[in-house]
Amino acid sequence: MTQSAQMGDGTRAVRAGLPEASKNEPTLPGPVFAAHFHLPGDVSGPYTYGRDDNPTWTHLERAIGELEAPGQEGVDTLVFASGMAAISAVLFSQLRAGDVVVLPSDGYQVFPLVREQLTAFGIEVRTAPTGGDAQLDVLDGAKLLWIETPSNPGLDVCNVRRLAEAAHARGALVAVDNTLATPLGQRPLELGADFSVASGTKQLTGHGDILLGYVTCRDAELTASVRGWRKIVGAIPGPMEAWLAHRSLATLQLRAERQNANALALALALRGRDDIEGLRYPGLPDDPSHKIASQQMRRFGCVVSFTLPTRAHAERFMEALRLVDDATSFGGVRSTAERRRRWGGDDVSEGFIRFSAGAEDPDDLVADVLRALDEAAA
C-alpha cells in the first residue's frame, strides 16, 4: 500500500498533486500562462501547445486522481472547462451511431438536451430512474451506462457495484457522475466504474467562482480517447481556473465535514414539520436511500431536498431567508437554495426546494431556515 493510500482525507487533500520540494521554489507553483512552449527540433516532451497540455493542469489532474483513487497505479485524470464539457467528452468519445446508452431519467436537468443531441447522431438513448437500480432493466445491448448517484436533485442512490457488474457482464462501459458526493464521499472506480466524472464547479472547489470539470479513468485506451476529444473540441480550463481549483482542494475535507454536518443538522430539524413533504437526505437513517448509501458512501453530501405545498409558498420561503442565497448550483461555503421548477428541466413539483448547506455555524443556519419556514407558512 502506498503512502497516499494510507493518508487521511485531510492530509491527502492538503498535499495532493504537489510537486517534489525544491529549494527556493513555491510549494504550489503559480499558474502557467502559455499558448505555446519552446520546442526546438523534433517534437518531444509533455508540453508543446496550450490546447494539448499545461503544467498547471498536470498538478491539478494528479491531485484529483489522488483523491479519486488513492494509491492506485495507472489512474489518469483530465480536466475540462466545465462539468458538462467533461460529461460530453465521455459520451461523444465513446459512442457511435447505432450504439445504445442508458441515462438516468432523474439526473441533471441538462440531460434532455444531451439526449436530443445523442439521438440526432443516431445513438439510441434509454432512460430509467436512479432509485431501485432501475437502470438494470434497460441494460441489454448498451454500450455505455451513465449513473448519477446521489441523483440531482432528488437524492436517490443506486448500488454502483451491482450496476457496474451487470453492465460489464453485458459488455457495457460504466460512467458515474460523482459531483454531488465528491471523491471524499465516494470513489466510483473502487466500486467498479470505468469513468468517474464530475463538475468541479460544485463542492470540489467550493467557492462558487470557478467553472471546471474532470474525468478520471484507469484504462489508458479509454483515457486516450477522452483526451483526443478534449483536443478536438478545445474544452480546456484556463490556467488560472486550474490553479485556483488546486488551491481550493486543500480545504476540501474541512469544508465537506462542516457542510455535510450542517446538511444533516438541517435535515433532522426539518423532520416532522407539517409544511414539508418529501424530505430527502441520504444521511438520515430513515431516508429511502440510506441503507445503500451507507454501504458505498463515506460522506453523504451537503444537499438536502424537500417540497413545500405550492409555488407561492416556496417563493415566500426563499424571500424570507437571510443567510441563504437564492442561487443555482450547490456545494459552496455559503448556503444556497432554489425552487428548482423555475428552470423547467427537472421532473419536480412547483414547491420543490434544493438546499445546499454551506459552512455557516449550524445553529445560525438551522435557525434561519426554520424562521423562514414559519414566516412563509403564516
Side-chain angles (χ1 to χ4, degrees):
M1 184 178 293
T2 67
Q3 182 182 13
S4 176
Q6 297 173 0
M7 290 178 181
D9 286 340
T11 304
R12 188 179 298 109
V14 166
R15 304 206 61 82
L18 298 180
E20 291 293 327
S22 180
K23 186 176 181 180
N24 303 129
E25 294 295 325
T27 54
L28 176 61
V32 175
F33 298 99
H36 57 265
F37 300 81
H38 287 295
L39 197 65
D42 294 336
V43 176
S44 63
Y47 306 113
T48 59
Y49 186 63
R51 191 180 73 252
D52 296 343
D53 227 327
N54 176 289
T56 310
W57 303 353
T58 299
H59 294 310
L60 175 60
E61 289 171 341
R62 289 174 180 168
I64 294 173
E66 290 177 27
L67 297 178
E68 282 279 353
Q72 296 187 31
E73 300 294 332
V75 173
D76 288 306
T77 295
L78 300 171
V79 290
F80 290 82
S82 68
M84 279 309 304
I87 289 170
S88 299
V90 173
L91 291 172
F92 294 110
S93 68
Q94 303 306 312
L95 298 170
R96 304 289 183 271
D99 286 342
V100 176
V101 61
V102 176
L103 302 178
S105 59
D106 54 347
Y108 182 45
Q109 58 109 354
V110 178
F111 266 129
L113 298 177
V114 173
R115 178 174 187 168
E116 289 180 15
Q117 191 62 65
L118 291 168
T119 302
F121 286 165
I123 298 163
E124 180 185 342
V125 180
R126 301 174 187 165
T127 62
T130 298
D133 299 343
Q135 290 173 303
L136 284 171
D137 297 333
V138 292
L139 270 180
D140 286 348
K143 173 68 179 299
L144 175 67
L145 167 64
W146 193 278
I147 296 170
E148 184 178 289
T149 181
S151 61
N152 174 24
L155 302 182
D156 274 323
V157 173
C158 60
N159 188 325
V160 176
R161 193 179 300 280
R162 180 188 182 202
L163 284 165
E165 289 175 353
H168 290 155
R170 292 165 170 82
L173 297 170
V174 178
V176 175
D177 187 325
N178 204 32
T179 302
L180 201 147
T182 81
L184 268 60
Q186 68 187 3
R187 297 177 182 145
L189 298 188
E190 293 182 358
L191 297 171
D194 300 290
F195 302 96
S196 181
V197 187
S199 168
T201 309
K202 313 298 193 296
Q203 192 174 26
L204 188 82
T205 56
H207 294 84
D209 53 10
I210 302 170
L211 287 175
L212 192 85
Y214 70 86
V215 177
T216 300
C217 179
R218 69 160 56 89
D219 183 284
E221 185 175 344
L222 294 177
T223 300
S225 63
V226 177
R227 187 188 302 274
W229 182 263
R230 181 178 71 174
K231 179 174 181 176
I232 291 170
V233 300
I236 58 173
M240 190 66 189
E241 286 79 6
W243 183 83
L244 286 170
H246 196 171
R247 186 197 63 171
S248 298
L249 288 184
T251 61
L252 175 58
Q253 189 264 355
L254 298 173
R255 290 184 281 108
E257 287 295 324
R258 169 58 73 88
Q259 291 175 250
N260 295 5
N262 278 356
L264 178 59
L266 178 62
L268 290 170
L270 296 179
R271 293 165 82 184
R273 283 191 67 104
D274 294 337
D275 52 350
I276 285 177
E277 294 183 352
L279 174 66
R280 296 298 305 271
Y281 181 65
L284 285 174
D286 57 350
D287 186 272
S289 292
H290 181 72
K291 181 177 180 180
I292 185 60
S294 63
Q295 293 170 1
Q296 69 186 21
M297 298 183 71
R298 297 157 55 241
R299 294 175 175 85
F300 299 110
C302 62
V303 177
V304 178
S305 66
F306 55 91
T307 301
L308 294 172
T310 65
R311 170 177 176 169
H313 193 132
E315 289 176 344
R316 291 196 302 272
F317 165 68
M318 293 301 306
E319 291 172 0
L321 291 166
R322 297 291 176 265
L323 298 179
V324 182
D325 296 331
D326 189 341
T328 195
S329 196
F330 56 85
V333 292
R334 290 172 290 278
S335 291
T336 61
E338 71 171 336
R339 191 182 65 82
R340 284 297 293 175
R341 187 63 183 172
R342 65 181 179 174
W343 294 97
D346 294 311
D347 185 17
V348 295
S349 66
E350 291 286 358
F352 182 94
I353 300 293
R354 184 181 70 182
F355 193 104
S356 172
E360 298 88 357
D361 286 321
D363 290 346
D364 295 337
L365 180 61
V366 170
D368 186 54
V369 173
L370 295 180
R371 178 197 51 74
L373 286 170
D374 291 340
E375 289 186 16

